[in-house]
Amino acid sequence: MRATGKRPDSERPEHRGAAIAPVERVRTPERAYRPGRGRLSVDLIQDLQGTVGNLVVSRMVGGHEGPAPAPTGGVPVQRVLEPAATRLEHYANAFEDGGEREGMVAKNSPALAAFGEELPPKFIELDETTSNYVPDPEQPEAKPPLSGGHFKNVFGKDKDSDRAVAVMMENYRAKEEKYTASDAFIHQWSQAQQLLDQEDVSRSRLERQAAAALGNRTEVTDVPDRLPNSIYRQNVSGTAAKAVLGALLPEGKDTLTFKEGEDEFESVMGTVNGKSTLNIVRTFNQIKKDSGGPQYRIKGGGLRRVGENFQLRFDIVEA
């Protein structure tokens, strides 16, 4: 399997299960309502959910157990996952009974090409399929799998600078798994970072090392103190996302740069691709928060239309 770009990024509206992340517990607008007592901030809700549990928080928000019907201007509290460190363990456990893992040297990337960027000298494709992965039998590329997950992403680093990039290609996860697509990304990025920091090695050796590295259990201490400078979403083709992105690129316009505070930024971040990329940043920040490590944010990015596909770039900086 190579980074040929023949298959689309699978973060489609039907793949919302693959985009669920631990901090996306409160639907937008990002405030929750307490009847008669004002609003709870998202950070406070997340802290409470991680300590006293969803039952208590849902009662505070909606007065009963389980997802509460949202009052006017309010939002329901959704299923809460375990802390990131525990989820990384769940992800490792998903391969205990088998699964498939492969490391390849990628030769091209439609996403990077769309932005006129050269391939990094080390460009590693990591492909993982959990042991219990069962794709949807009728629409495997349009609907969440029946169980398990499949994650294929590419990571690279410039030779003469510290700039690193990630290209997200295929990310499928069943809705009820105890880990998220963000956890899979953090695991792959943690292992790739170590490979990319090596001195020059042969292609065959690098691929063997990549496959072996994927078999390592990623602990919180293994997560590097940085994220890629840019995260690309390759060949975005989900119907809802294409409608939003297409509206940002009227006829005759094929490129767009978006920045924090702009309407275009909010529109892109409202797509499933924007939300799931934000989930990666938030998962990383959650991991690094307790150790006092750096926090990151998405400052903007770029959009390109190539034929019927859209390529997205999200630029990541320290908060």
Side-chain angles (χ1 to χ4, degrees):
M1 288 177 280
R2 308 282 184 178
T4 60
K6 292 183 179 179
R7 296 181 67 186
D9 185 310
S10 60
E11 301 289 354
R12 304 178 181 180
E14 296 86 354
H15 274 263
R16 292 191 184 277
I20 293 175
V23 293
E24 285 295 286
R25 303 165 188 150
V26 182
R27 294 176 186 156
T28 54
E30 291 192 343
R31 310 291 284 179
Y33 181 77
R34 287 190 298 175
R37 299 191 63 186
R39 297 177 182 274
L40 293 174
S41 71
V42 170
D43 289 340
L44 178 56
I45 287 177
Q46 291 165 4
D47 290 340
L48 288 172
Q49 288 173 322
T51 54
V52 301
N54 194 43
L55 171 60
V56 175
V57 178
S58 61
R59 284 175 175 169
M60 292 172 62
V61 176
H64 58 81
E65 183 176 357
T72 302
V75 289
V77 176
Q78 295 186 309
R79 181 171 73 100
V80 182
L81 296 176
E82 296 175 273
T86 305
R87 297 195 315 273
L88 284 172
E89 184 176 345
H90 287 314
Y91 185 67
N93 292 341
F95 292 88
E96 280 191 343
D97 297 327
E100 297 181 4
R101 284 172 151 152
E102 186 175 15
M104 305 290 290
V105 173
K107 294 184 176 180
N108 57 61
S109 168
L112 293 183
F115 288 93
E117 299 187 21
E118 296 182 358
L119 294 185
K122 288 184 180 179
F123 203 40
I124 306 170
E125 177 186 308
L126 302 182
D127 193 340
E128 297 183 291
T129 303
T130 64
S131 60
N132 64 332
Y133 178 65
V134 179
D136 182 88
E138 296 180 357
Q139 295 180 283
E141 296 183 20
K143 292 185 178 181
L146 301 183
S147 66
H150 173 213
F151 309 96
K152 181 163 73 171
N153 301 299
V154 186
F155 303 89
K157 187 174 182 181
D158 290 343
K159 183 175 183 180
D160 299 325
S161 73
D162 197 40
R163 175 173 167 77
V165 300
V167 181
M168 300 190 69
M169 298 174 60
E170 298 176 20
N171 291 272
Y172 301 85
R173 184 192 72 105
K175 294 180 180 180
E176 300 306 318
E177 296 298 331
K178 294 183 178 180
Y179 55 84
T180 72
S182 298
D183 303 319
F185 179 93
I186 294 296
H187 164 73
Q188 291 186 344
W189 166 240
S190 300
Q191 302 305 322
Q193 177 78 346
Q194 300 178 41
L195 296 169
L196 297 173
D197 283 340
Q198 291 185 113
E199 296 296 328
D200 290 339
V201 294
S202 68
R203 172 180 171 179
S204 59
R205 181 182 175 188
L206 184 63
E207 291 183 344
R208 289 196 303 272
Q209 290 177 332
L214 284 174
N216 296 331
R217 298 178 74 94
T218 298
E219 307 290 344
V220 168
T221 52
D222 299 323
V223 179
D225 285 334
R226 62 169 295 185
L227 279 170
N229 298 81
S230 295
I231 297 177
Y232 295 80
R233 309 306 296 254
Q234 182 167 292
N235 293 341
V236 177
S237 58
T239 303
K242 288 182 70 173
V244 173
L245 301 178
L248 296 174
L249 294 174
E251 186 175 353
K253 184 177 181 181
D254 293 322
T255 64
L256 172 73
T257 299
F258 51 91
K259 300 178 182 178
E260 288 175 300
E262 298 178 345
D263 291 342
E264 292 84 357
F265 179 87
E266 298 299 327
S267 294
V268 173
M269 296 308 300
T271 66
V272 67
N273 304 93
K275 291 176 182 178
S276 56
T277 307
L278 180 59
N279 288 345
I280 291 172
V281 177
R282 286 175 167 172
T283 299
F284 178 90
N285 288 344
Q286 183 188 70
I287 291 172
K288 290 299 177 181
K289 182 178 180 181
D290 292 339
S291 65
Q295 300 287 283
Y296 284 81
R297 75 179 201 276
I298 299 174
K299 72 170 185 178
L303 169 64
R304 298 289 187 274
R305 176 164 48 198
V306 181
E308 296 184 356
N309 286 325
F310 293 92
Q311 315 292 343
L312 273 170
R313 186 192 74 238
F314 296 91
D315 297 327
I316 316 296
V317 297
E318 286 195 34

